Amino acid sequence: QVQLVESGGGLVQPGGSLRLSCAASGSISRVNAMGWFRQAPGKQRELVATVTSVGIATYADSVKGRVTISRDNAKNTVYLQMNSLKPEDTAVYYCWLLGSGGVYWGQGTQVTVSS
């Protein structure tokens, strides 16, 4: 079993910043990629950003230039630094891991951008 524990969500004003963290633990033989997806009310879950084990990052067009994903391979932890947040960034953010055993999801952390 693989567990993903997210932290760092919360309420922030438009233009503010948040940093999300996700630590993976459990039976992890190989991690190929980690990342973040989000789901806003009434919408489908969508990709925010992913990063491979060699550091290749992919971003959704909607967050490019405002979001940076990084990873600590030794700790199996992925971070999402979000700046210049907008109300449309409000969503539940889910950590995602692609490993040799399959795909794993975290429980989600709420990010609310509101004045």
Side-chain angles (χ1 to χ4, degrees):
Q1 282 291 74
V2 174
Q3 294 81 39
L4 301 178
V5 178
E6 301 126 330
S7 61
L11 173 64
V12 63
Q13 292 186 341
S17 298
L18 279 177
R19 187 188 193 217
L20 306 183
S21 300
C22 172
S25 62
S27 302
I28 306 172
S29 57
R30 186 176 75 237
V31 177
N32 296 318
M34 296 184 74
W36 295 89
F37 286 68
R38 69 186 181 186
Q39 187 167 17
K43 295 187 177 181
Q44 291 187 334
R45 191 173 297 190
E46 63 178 7
L47 178 145
V48 178
T50 62
V51 60
T52 69
S53 58
V54 295
I56 298 173
T58 301
Y59 296 95
D61 288 342
S62 59
V63 303
K64 281 181 181 177
R66 301 188 295 119
V67 165
T68 302
I69 190 169
S70 60
R71 180 173 165 180
D72 184 334
N73 289 338
K75 296 181 179 179
N76 281 330
T77 298
V78 64
Y79 306 95
L80 190 71
Q81 178 66 45
M82 302 188 292
N83 301 321
S84 302
L85 283 162
K86 305 175 182 179
E88 50 263 44
D89 294 316
T90 295
V92 177
Y93 284 68
Y94 295 92
C95 182
W96 168 88
L97 183 151
L98 174 63
S100 56
V103 174
Y104 302 91
W105 293 93
Q107 291 298 308
T109 184
Q110 177 70 45
V111 171
T112 302
V113 184
S114 175
S115 55

